[in-house]
Amino acid sequence: MEGSSEPLLDAKAEVTNQLLDFQWKLGMAVSLDSCRSLKYPKVAVTLKVGERSSQVQNKSFEMTIPPFQNFYRQFKEIAAIIETL
Amino acid sequence: MAGELESCKSLSGLLNGLAQEAFHGHPGITEELLRSQLYPEVPPEEFRPFLAKMKGILKSIASADMDFNQLEAFLTAQTKKQGGITSDQAAVISKFWKSHKTKIRESLMNQSRWDSGLRGLSWRVDSKSQSRHSAQIHTPVAIMELEIGKSGQVKPSIVD
């Protein structure tokens, strides 16, 4: 997934959701009904997002290693750009 | 017809087709499609047991997530069985598993993911200069849009 070269939101749209917390766990799939013998790492992430005063929402999802590596790479790219500003 | 069934190129294609249907979730790869594309000279009543045998072998290999030693032992045993496979076929199957193992395991993992996954991610970085209520000069902000959902669902979630 590449960073978008065009704005996702128009200039007037206000993003008020903030990332309040980032929780993760690293697990290992040991066996599936379709694959009895497996040792496969996977990452589960829970993001707590919310506006300052309103309800906090949890967004959870799971990634196998290739999508996780891409996820990590995106953050690294963002961090590199922010460093230059 | 044994000659056609022993064709290595066709077997490679067959294993690919079986993997697409069984592991990577591509619908519509029927027995008739495989036969007509890969073994057009073989009649359906001969093709059917052959296909079942290859499918069974592939599923056994995938289910045990065989490493290369296990694979060699397993395929050797199959060549020695009555109505088993030829050593040429064993070589094709071995080569197929070695090059597709990672992808197949990944697909099996994705098939068994019952919680949401990350279906997409895009981002931009803004630099806030000022706002009406506070003079925030030069504050970089990363805005991310994540698409989180189970298979077939996409729920965009915008956060900064």
Side-chain angles (χ1 to χ4, degrees), chain B residues 58 61 66-69 71-72 75 90-104:
Chain B
L58 188 60
I61 295 171
M66 288 188 192
D67 63 29
F68 303 142
N69 290 331
L71 182 69
E72 292 309 308
L75 290 174
V92 172
I93 296 169
S94 177
K95 190 172 166 200
F96 179 82
W97 180 244
K98 283 172 185 172
S99 48
H100 289 85
K101 173 177 172 159
T102 304
K103 216 174 127 195
I104 288 174

Side-chain angles (χ1 to χ4, degrees), chain B residues 55-129:
Chain B
K55 194 170 181 177
I57 287 173
L58 188 60
K59 285 208 156 177
S60 294
I61 295 171
S63 180
D65 194 33
M66 288 188 192
D67 63 29
F68 303 142
N69 290 331
Q70 291 171 310
L71 182 69
E72 292 309 308
F74 175 73
L75 290 174
T76 302
Q78 294 296 312
T79 60
K80 296 189 156 64
K81 262 171 70 169
Q82 178 78 293
I85 58 177
T86 67
S87 48
D88 283 347
Q89 287 170 340
V92 172
I93 296 169
S94 177
K95 190 172 166 200
F96 179 82
W97 180 244
K98 283 172 185 172
S99 48
H100 289 85
K101 173 177 172 159
T102 304
K103 216 174 127 195
I104 288 174
R105 285 174 85 217
E106 178 77 14
S107 282
L108 288 172
M109 275 297 292
N110 286 331
Q111 277 180 2
S112 71
R113 191 197 71 215
W114 299 317
D115 300 321
S116 299
L118 183 65
R119 298 170 60 82
L121 188 158
S122 44
W123 54 267
R124 74 166 198 265
V125 174
D126 284 356
S127 185
K128 289 189 193 170
S129 50

Side-chain angles (χ1 to χ4, degrees), chain B residues 13-25:
Chain B
L14 186 77
L15 293 170
N16 234 314
L18 285 171
Q20 290 296 329
E21 192 266 332
F23 307 123
H24 306 309

Side-chain angles (χ1 to χ4, degrees), chain A residues 14-15 18 52, chain B residues 126-141 160:
Chain A
E14 194 184 342
V15 178
Q18 285 201 321
R52 275 153 264 262
Chain B
D126 284 356
S127 185
K128 289 189 193 170
S129 50
Q130 295 183 39
S131 69
R132 182 173 157 186
H133 300 292
S134 60
Q136 300 167 9
I137 299 177
H138 211 52
T139 308
V141 176
D160 72 5

